[in-house]
Amino acid sequence: MGTGNHPQVRRLVISGYYGFRNSGDEAVLRSILLALEEQGSAQGIKIQPIVLSADPALTSSMYGVESVRRMHPADLWNAIKSSDGLISGGGSLLQDATGTKTIPYYTGVMKLAQLLGKPTFAYAQGIGPVNRRWMDPMIKGVMRKSAYVSVRDAESAALLERIGVQADKIDIVPDPVMGLPLPTGSHASTAGQADSQPPVVGVSLRHWRSDGADMARAAEALVALSKRMPVRLRFLPFHTPSDTQTSEQVMEWLRGRLGNGSTAELAAPGDDPQQMLLEVSRCDALLGMRLHALIYAAGQMVPMLGLSYDPKIDQFLNRLGLKAIGSTEQLDPESFAEAASLLLADKAGWQAKHGPAIDLLRQQSQKPAQQIVGYLRQTLSR
């Protein structure tokens, strides 16, 4: 242990989908860094992160941490060799829905750390879907050799158990972003009801179906809501530039069709995840397709309606006692308008009902950082 005011420093490499300007993944990184700092301080250890990033300059400037190129073999080798361990996560890293290279890359980074004799830690990962059975051994191998494994839902734990990871080795914890605070010095405000302006409805959509039918249905649902009551639709692009383009397309479909003097606008919070969190906190309700839009809303107690494109959306909503309002295959405009109207009419009722589940997830979101720092502290005292 350190002496006096000089705690021991421990260098941790963090591997994830970072530096791609995806607000949800950047929020995961910011949340992990804050949790490690908080837990390190509580246990008398200073954690020095080294983040593997697609854009190390952006990552270093945004978080004030050391960052290296995630796909550069020498950078990877040197970072891990000089470290005291590797965190893999959070996010949906071990899945093959986005292609065949994702699982080999992330398990490969963990394997390299293990070959170099460094402890590895899986941090609140979402595992799956894994449709290619030949990838199972890659995941099983690195997880069984990890010092600590945590996943963000029961379904991920079940998948790991099915491929041969011991159940008692797996911690089920919330997504780290449940613990993300607003930027220092800022305050959430209800932009709508407080000053008799129309309520603000946040809208987080992403391109999914190639025929665009899901976005067309979302547009119809928003039109139906505006016919019932005046609303200010605020589109929130979580992954730029793709979500910005999708939002602009839907806004174009809404042009001239909204009722009751309702309006649609596009937010531009930039790359900082806490600025996007602030945007979400200022909504009176949210229609969310992006997982982290829903997590931001939960963290700020903003009533939400989830639009499912992936099982992870349903899994998160389920933890709050909620069900998706629709999916990329089906969304009834009038059912959506009815549900959204009810949320806007009784925000406090929604918060009272779902607040306890949200508070519990917030508290539990620190657990992986606590366990990892505790492990490093034990190794110091040996």
Side-chain angles (χ1 to χ4, degrees), residues 19 22 57 167 232 237:
N22 181 321
R232 186 174 149 201

Side-chain angles (χ1 to χ4, degrees), residues 36-79:
L36 289 171
E37 186 179 4
E38 190 176 322
Q39 293 300 325
S41 174
Q43 299 188 46
I45 293 178
K46 182 169 176 53
I47 300 296
Q48 195 174 71
I50 311 143
V51 179
L52 306 181
S53 173
D55 188 341
L58 174 75
T59 299
S60 287
S61 68
M62 204 184 297
Y63 307 107
V65 296
E66 193 179 328
S67 182
V68 301
R69 295 169 290 181
R70 73 198 292 275
M71 299 300 286
H72 195 273
D75 281 12
L76 273 175
W77 176 274
N78 292 330

